[in-house]
Amino acid sequence: MIVGIIFIGLVAALIWSIFYGRKVIRTEKSDAVFGNPVRALGGWHWVVAGVCSILLFWFWFSWDAARAYFPIAGNELCQVAKLTRAANPIRSTFPMDDERLLLGTKLLDRDYRQIDHLQTQLASTNFSDADREMLQEIIDEMRTAMAAHADADELDSSVRMRMSAVAENIHGLAEALAQEGYPGPADPAMMAEALAQPGWGETSVELPPLPMTERGRKFDAASVTMQEISDQYLGVRNVGPALTARLDALEGRIAGFTIDASGDSADVAAREDLIKQIEKIFRRIDDGRIFPPDVTTDVEQALLVLDREQRRQQGGLRYINAIAMPGGEILAGNNACSEQGSGRWLPKPSDTLATFTRLANPNEGYKGFPLLWFKMKPISEMVAFIVPDWIADLVPGDYPRHGTDGQVQSNFKSKVYDIATGNFDSPSIPVPDGHIWDSIVRVLMGLFFGILLGVPLGLFMGLSRFAKGYFDPLVELYRPIPPLAWAPLILTIFGIQDDGKIFLLFMVAFAIMVISARTGATGTQLSKIHAAHSLGASNRQIIRQVILPNSLPEILTGIRISIGVCWGTLVAAEMLAGTTGIGFVENVARKQSDYEIIWMTIILMGLLGLLFDVMMRWVIHKTIPWRGKG
Amino acid sequence: MSDLTASELNMVFNTPHGGTVHALKDVSFTLKQGELLAVLGPSGCGKTTLLNIIAGFQHPTGGSLHLGDHEITAPGVDRGMVFQQGALFEWLTVADNVNFGLRMKKADPAETSRKVEEWLEIVGLQGFGRTPTYQLSGGMQQRVALARCLINDPDLILMDEPLGALDALTREKMQSLVLKIWKETGKTIMIITHSVEEALLLGERLFVMAPRPGRIHKEYHLPFADLGLTNDPREIKISPEFVETREEILTMIWNMEEEIMGKTETV
Ligand SMILES: Nc1ncnc2c1ncn2[C@@H]1O[C@H](COP(=O)(O)OP(=O)(O)OP(=O)(O)O)[C@@H](O)[C@H]1O
Ligand SMILES: [Mg+2]
């Protein structure tokens, strides 16, 4: 219901924004030259159009729209799938669907090839002349026996009759399907049970399997009949007195052959192998699934008739199937139906949102940890985190020792130590917490250290021959290495929790920041430095007042790139190891094939990355409006 | 007394291909305090090089250079420079550009802002203090550059084609401004220009330089700058004396260019 409304809303928004955009384009034609940079600013109506297109495609390709608008169609298509499934044993013996050859053709082709193989094997195996002659006869007889299966003259008349019965039954089913009242009035109890089933997508079974409509009951009933016909068809084998006598004789000859056990043991083994092969192929001839070509034609024709009828009876269902459920179809299993193709691997927006709402609930979270929430944390813990313990060591004096009365007198030094280790009472304040927060903090920490060390080094390298030459090999050597290649090493050294990941991200951000700060510093116009010099600025002042601001555009662009790369690296690093973070969530979901959570984390990562980038764009816009205008 | 004395200045550049360019050869002159010197010459005759050496941005390969008693070895606040393209700090406002030198000296902020106001008024930019520099027109930017240089109270003002990129009208206004400042402050000014008219109008003294190797070809002492303080520059420009000198110099430069072309053609 809601999905239906949203879908219509999206279509409306898309159409509106396209029309609005076209109107703007028309005015643009009269007032602007082609290539006017103003056009590159885009327009928010096109943003609306783009977003709507993406969402519409998602709703459509994941079958969410189909589920919203045709909830019954899913159930009915399930019944159709049941009929298809019931007919499959017969269909697969004919060149229909994915098959290209008649079953008999295929079997003959394969068996002849194997007999040819036997022939060459016989030629290369060491037999006495008499034995060889005998075996040659057996092989020849096998060929003839096989050919006899396809010979209409050798066919037992009962086979043809039983085959006709199958064809007739199929015709009968097709006729029944075409009838108005088929399969008769519904059993009210069954109907009530069917209607009480949970709807499409409400449970893990996905599609309600019991037929809920008249059309559905038709196909359901037909599928039961078809199942019987299929069993009947599989029971028909090409056997009869003539063929049996021939095969018995052949079997006797094979059994009567004694393997010459004299001579080389390798030779004996080769002889035994050949006989084993002969027996294997003989057993297959025995199967009786090869018929004269015209015997199965009736069944094939009947199947086509049934096919046509099945399609006719589906009516509009076929169009719903083709248009609203792209990229896959509904298949029936033993006692349930399921979506296959994009309906399966592409989670539906509404399901994804439901999963997200479920996980966003801080009491639920994922693996006992909320996605993004807050927790109360005592201030002392934060103090302990920020203040290093060795501060206390710097305080003059000694740590207290207990006296003879067994009492410990604290002194100033020990009190400083208590504070540095967070060993004091303090109120708690709320701090953010959760998978998302952990990921964000890691990125920001890595970025922070990368900027803190990378920018000065980059500027230094841009200003000093020594620094450029000395640090260049180091930076240039490790920069091209994909960050994830470091991951196993770094995670081993620094641990799989925050430290390792932050260091990894630091390495990523550091290289980028060095390069961009260096480019910024070397790109400073000489005349500006000259001007600053003749205005009395010292070297230090020139760095601080001229070169640094002049490098800001490059540095900010570097930060923007770093955030993007760090984000990507982090998620991958979290998938490698760790117990929190968005990448961790996705990794666990991957192991459990939970497509909705996977999809949700993917979207979350995209949105957060976008958020970072938008923020950086805003910062760039605010801090360096003068960029490129010097 | 802080006269500028150059003796036997030589500048030889090494080109990337192993050759050498003799940008300045045995340049000697004295510029007395309070003089206004214009420098003219065909492109590539070493004008900018000379100015850079005086400013202290480059070291001459030979000869010596003194401002007053001090030898010039490095850039300093006693020599202010105005560049062809403002070389303003585009991330700062007009006021912050103008007071850059004072801030570097850590001068008293109240005093600084008073001076900034004063100088903005002199160059005709009152009220623009808070405007970001990148929003100014080319002429306004040159005024800011002028104010930024003058607020430091340098002994010698060096200008490298400061008005080259301006339109004719703005240019005339700026020329009067330069003359006005010259008169009111009594500074020594050295101005490089491509325009013969401008050189004649502004220069109390005028060097015409010749290329390959760069040297002072001819020196003039001109009355027009003094006249310009009282008379209308346009009238000066049509006076027969002005026109005669202008034609003479134009022919001279024209011949030099011809010679260069001839030289390159025979090579
Ligand atoms: N850094 C340098 N390296 C090599 N040659 C240089 C360098 N700087 C200047 N030159 C050469 O010195 C000569 C004088 O250059 P300069 O810039 O002083 O000319 P200019 O008179 O200012 O010309 P313009 O009027 O075009 O500005 C030119 O031939 C130039 O090629
Ligand atoms: Mg020049």
Side-chain angles (χ1 to χ4, degrees), chain B residues 14-259:
Chain B
N14 296 317
T15 61
H17 304 296
T20 55
V21 175
H22 215 141
L24 288 179
K25 187 172 193 302
D26 299 336
V27 173
S28 306
F29 63 91
T30 308
L31 191 59
K32 293 215 179 57
Q33 181 163 21
E35 279 185 325
L36 205 175
L37 169 69
V39 181
L40 256 183
S43 187
C45 68
K47 304 182 295 287
T48 300
T49 309
L50 179 61
L51 211 67
N52 278 344
I53 292 174
I54 297 174
F57 302 143
Q58 287 174 343
H59 293 290
T61 46
S64 68
L65 190 62
H66 289 85
L67 183 62
D69 306 328
H70 303 287
E71 171 144 26
I72 292 175
T73 51
V77 275
D78 50 352
R79 284 147 290 141
M81 183 105 175
V82 179
F83 297 85
Q84 181 171 11
Q85 300 281 337
L88 295 180
F89 307 124
E90 67 263 28
W91 50 91
L92 299 177
T93 60
V94 167
D96 281 342
N97 260 287
V98 173
N99 68 25
F100 190 86
L102 297 180
R103 277 193 292 135
M104 296 302 104
K105 273 197 291 195
K106 303 209 164 60
D108 168 41
E111 171 78 7
T112 305
S113 63
R114 195 185 55 73
K115 269 190 170 170
V116 169
E117 285 303 311
E118 201 177 294
W119 274 105
L120 283 184
E121 192 168 338
I122 294 177
V123 298
L125 284 176
Q126 55 273 63
F128 280 92
R130 289 168 192 279
T131 315
T133 354
Y134 67 89
Q135 292 176 357
L136 296 181
S137 74
M140 289 157 114
Q141 289 187 5
Q142 273 322 36
R143 287 162 200 249
V144 175
L146 206 59
R148 180 177 75 174
C149 161
L150 289 168
I151 203 171
N152 257 7
D153 196 23
D155 296 331
L156 174 59
I157 300 168
L158 305 168
M159 302 191 192
D160 191 356
E161 297 178 37
L163 314 181
L166 304 183
D167 68 284
L169 205 68
T170 319
R171 200 169 178 153
E172 258 178 38
K173 277 192 204 151
M174 292 291 286
Q175 286 167 354
S176 326
L177 181 63
V178 171
L179 279 180
K180 188 178 120 196
I181 288 169
W182 176 54
K183 181 181 171 219
E184 283 175 6
T185 59
K187 300 273 177 209
T188 321
I189 298 181
M190 181 168 169
I191 182 165
I192 293 179
T193 169
H194 262 135
S195 151
V196 179
E197 264 185 13
E198 186 170 277
L200 290 177
L201 271 181
L202 295 182
E204 192 187 17
R205 284 171 75 188
L206 168 64
F207 289 167
V208 179
M209 290 182 66
R212 303 186 183 210
R215 62 203 182 269
I216 296 172
H217 181 70
K218 190 158 185 204
E219 180 181 348
Y220 290 84
H221 285 267
L222 301 164
F224 309 113
D226 283 322
L227 281 177
L229 292 174
T230 47
N231 296 25
D232 181 357
R234 289 186 203 174
E235 274 171 33
I236 301 177
K237 276 193 215 169
I238 50 170
S239 67
E241 206 183 338
F242 187 96
V243 173
E244 192 187 315
T245 329
R246 188 183 69 195
E247 290 311 311
E248 182 188 327
I249 294 173
L250 275 177
T251 319
M252 195 187 313
I253 294 178
W254 184 249
N255 286 342
M256 284 184 210
E257 301 267 10
E258 288 271 270
E259 203 181 320

Side-chain angles (χ1 to χ4, degrees), chain A residues 66-335:
Chain A
R67 192 169 76 182
Y69 289 113
F70 314 107
I72 296 302
N75 177 259
E76 287 181 334
L77 281 167
C78 170
Q79 314 310 321
V80 177
K82 280 185 192 170
L83 176 55
T84 312
R85 177 180 140 91
N88 257 346
I90 309 183
R91 297 173 69 88
S92 63
T93 64
F94 293 108
M96 292 174 172
D97 303 333
D98 295 338
E99 283 301 330
R100 289 195 172 78
L101 299 176
L102 201 63
L103 181 67
T105 315
K106 203 164 77 178
L107 291 178
L108 279 171
D109 192 43
R110 186 191 62 190
D111 292 349
Y112 278 136
R113 227 177 281 192
Q114 285 176 344
I115 291 174
D116 287 347
H117 188 72
L118 279 186
Q119 190 77 61
T120 45
Q121 204 176 340
L122 174 65
S124 63
T125 313
N126 185 5
F127 280 110
S128 67
D129 285 349
D131 279 358
R132 188 183 298 280
E133 203 172 308
M134 199 184 235
L135 285 171
Q136 185 61 56
E137 276 170 20
I138 289 178
I139 288 176
D140 289 345
E141 176 56 23
M142 280 168 82
R143 275 212 183 88
T144 357
M146 208 128 68
H149 278 84
D151 188 351
D153 293 339
E154 301 229 6
L155 187 71
D156 192 74
S157 55
S158 72
V159 173
R160 209 182 273 280
M161 267 165 54
R162 295 175 65 194
M163 208 48 114
S164 315
V166 171
E168 231 145 78
N169 283 342
I170 296 176
H171 278 299
L173 179 60
E175 272 161 34
L177 206 55
Q179 265 161 32
E180 195 60 39
Y182 181 80
D187 173 6
M190 289 253 297
M191 205 59 189
E193 194 192 337
L195 290 175
Q197 294 175 103
W200 184 359
E202 276 170 32
T203 65
S204 55
V205 186
E206 291 182 19
L207 286 154
L210 300 179
M212 296 158 73
T213 58
E214 279 307 307
R215 181 150 54 181
R217 284 185 52 242
K218 216 171 211 183
F219 284 104
D220 184 46
S223 78
V224 174
T225 316
M226 192 65 218
Q227 191 66 56
E228 287 158 11
I229 300 175
S230 282
D231 291 343
Q232 185 192 0
Y233 173 77
L234 291 182
V236 182
R237 295 289 159 116
N238 190 358
V239 285
L243 274 176
T244 311
R246 186 189 280 276
L247 289 174
D248 283 350
L250 184 54
E251 190 175 16
R253 289 177 86 167
I254 295 173
F257 182 80
T258 43
I259 299 170
D260 176 11
S262 67
D264 201 339
S265 69
D267 281 347
V268 177
R271 288 172 200 148
E272 281 171 351
D273 183 53
L274 184 76
I275 303 305
K276 217 175 274 168
Q277 293 296 326
I278 290 178
E279 282 170 349
K280 210 168 102 191
I281 295 171
F282 172 76
R283 269 201 296 282
R284 223 181 269 140
I285 305 173
D286 212 0
D287 253 5
R289 291 202 289 160
I290 301 169
F291 298 94
D294 64 321
V295 170
T296 50
T297 325
D298 287 350
V299 178
E300 193 174 356
Q301 292 304 328
L303 260 189
L304 290 177
V305 171
L306 179 67
D307 249 9
R308 246 194 319 274
E309 195 52 44
Q310 180 182 345
R311 252 190 313 236
R312 255 229 343 258
Q313 290 301 320
Q314 282 185 46
L317 218 46
R318 279 174 57 220
Y319 300 103
I320 295 176
N321 189 13
I323 295 168
M325 303 181 188
E329 59 197 330
I330 290 178
L331 288 188
N334 274 337
N335 39 26

Side-chain angles (χ1 to χ4, degrees), chain A residues 387-559:
Chain A
V387 181
D389 294 357
W390 47 260
I391 289 275
D393 301 340
L394 301 183
V395 175
D398 288 321
Y399 289 105
R401 288 161 189 261
H402 66 84
T404 47
D405 53 354
Q407 296 298 310
V408 180
Q409 290 289 317
S410 64
N411 61 10
F412 182 62
K413 200 174 169 87
S414 71
K415 277 180 185 145
V416 171
Y417 183 74
D418 282 345
I419 289 176
T421 51
N423 193 5
F424 60 95
D425 291 333
S426 63
S428 294
I429 52 166
V431 289
D433 188 33
H435 289 292
I436 295 178
W437 177 251
D438 277 11
S439 290
I440 291 178
V441 165
R442 285 168 192 153
V443 168
L444 293 186
M445 293 283 276
L447 198 65
F448 173 77
F449 289 115
I451 295 171
L452 196 69
L453 298 179
V455 170
L457 182 65
L459 290 180
F460 191 31
M461 284 174 76
L463 295 174
S464 145
R465 278 174 202 275
F466 156 73
K468 167 81 169 79
Y470 191 84
F471 293 108
D472 215 26
L474 184 79
V475 175
E476 290 299 326
L477 213 77
Y478 101 83
R479 191 175 62 99
I481 301 172
L484 278 180
W486 290 107
L489 206 61
I490 303 280
L491 295 183
T492 315
I493 301 172
F494 292 91
I496 59 165
Q497 287 308 335
D498 289 350
D499 290 356
K501 281 163 202 152
I502 290 174
F503 190 82
L504 194 66
L505 298 188
F506 158 73
M507 287 178 64
V508 175
F510 179 74
I512 299 177
M513 292 320 298
V514 166
I515 305 287
S516 43
R518 195 179 75 192
T519 316
T522 45
T524 314
Q525 283 169 24
L526 197 56
S527 65
K528 276 183 196 139
I529 296 177
H530 279 167
H533 262 305
S534 62
L535 289 171
S538 66
N539 285 354
R540 182 189 291 265
Q541 282 171 325
I542 288 181
I543 294 180
R544 173 73 195 75
Q545 307 279 351
V546 181
I547 294 175
L548 182 64
N550 201 75
S551 322
L552 261 187
E554 270 83 7
I555 292 177
L556 287 174
T557 311
I559 294 177

Side-chain angles (χ1 to χ4, degrees), chain A residues 366-367 435 574-575 578-589:
Chain A
Y366 194 72
K367 299 283 149 196
H435 289 292
E574 282 174 344
M575 292 183 84
T579 53
T580 64
I582 302 188
F584 163 77
V585 173
E586 177 169 3
N587 194 33
V588 176

